[in-house]
Amino acid sequence: MSELILKGVINMTSLLEKSINFGLGLFALSREKIEKIVEELVDRGEVAREDAQKMVKDLVKKGEEQKEELRKMIKDAVAETLDYMNIAKKEDIVSKEDIRNIVREEVRKVLEEMQNTKK
């Protein structure tokens, strides 16, 4: 049941991120689209040709920064939601191998204690 909830949360996060990427402006644009828009501005005389490449670089950088900031906000919101729902994270779950090692160690300790009490 918790695995199903976790998959739902992961799907929800992916869908939310895709929706935001689609719905927001600058950072959703590809470098090629930004270059095309800037080239149109140059053609119309609204931007000097010598400033075009810097403008493209600045817009792409700003878009990447916005994308990373949004990604962090989504990650934090999902982590907060999972914490609120009290769902175990991957690092909180003990693996079968970990359990085996714990049991082996405990059995070894008990056998060791039994041998020490016989002496």
Side-chain angles (χ1 to χ4, degrees):
M1 178 70 174
S2 63
E3 187 176 320
L4 184 60
I5 292 172
L6 185 57
K7 284 182 182 178
V9 170
I10 291 169
N11 288 339
M12 177 184 70
T13 303
S14 177
L15 179 61
L16 178 61
E17 186 172 1
K18 287 176 186 173
S19 297
I20 291 171
N21 281 340
F22 181 75
L24 291 178
L26 177 63
F27 79 93
L29 295 176
S30 68
R31 181 178 191 89
E32 294 79 23
K33 287 182 182 181
I34 291 173
E35 287 173 345
K36 182 179 178 185
I37 291 169
V38 171
E39 187 61 34
E40 288 173 8
L41 292 173
V42 169
D43 291 344
R44 293 193 314 229
E46 296 178 32
V47 174
R49 179 137 330 260
E50 57 271 7
D51 296 332
Q53 281 303 85
K54 182 180 181 323
M55 185 178 208
V56 167
K57 183 179 175 184
D58 290 346
L59 288 172
V60 168
K61 181 180 177 187
K62 185 171 179 83
E64 288 301 317
E65 289 169 357
Q66 288 176 349
K67 189 183 291 186
E68 192 54 42
E69 186 177 323
L70 182 60
R71 191 172 277 130
K72 183 183 179 325
M73 287 172 44
I74 291 171
K75 184 178 177 182
D76 291 346
V78 169
E80 186 178 321
T81 301
L82 291 174
D83 188 48
Y84 175 78
M85 294 173 64
N86 202 23
I87 294 176
K89 296 178 212 143
K90 186 176 183 177
E91 61 267 14
D92 297 333
I93 299 172
V94 179
S95 71
K96 289 179 184 178
E97 189 59 33
D98 291 338
I99 293 171
R100 286 185 187 110
N101 290 336
I102 292 168
V103 169
R104 284 184 191 120
E105 182 61 24
E106 292 301 314
V107 168
R108 186 192 64 73
K109 286 179 185 176
V110 168
L111 291 173
E112 200 173 271
E113 285 177 16
M114 289 174 63
Q115 286 178 346
N116 287 340
T117 57
K118 286 183 181 179
K119 292 181 181 180

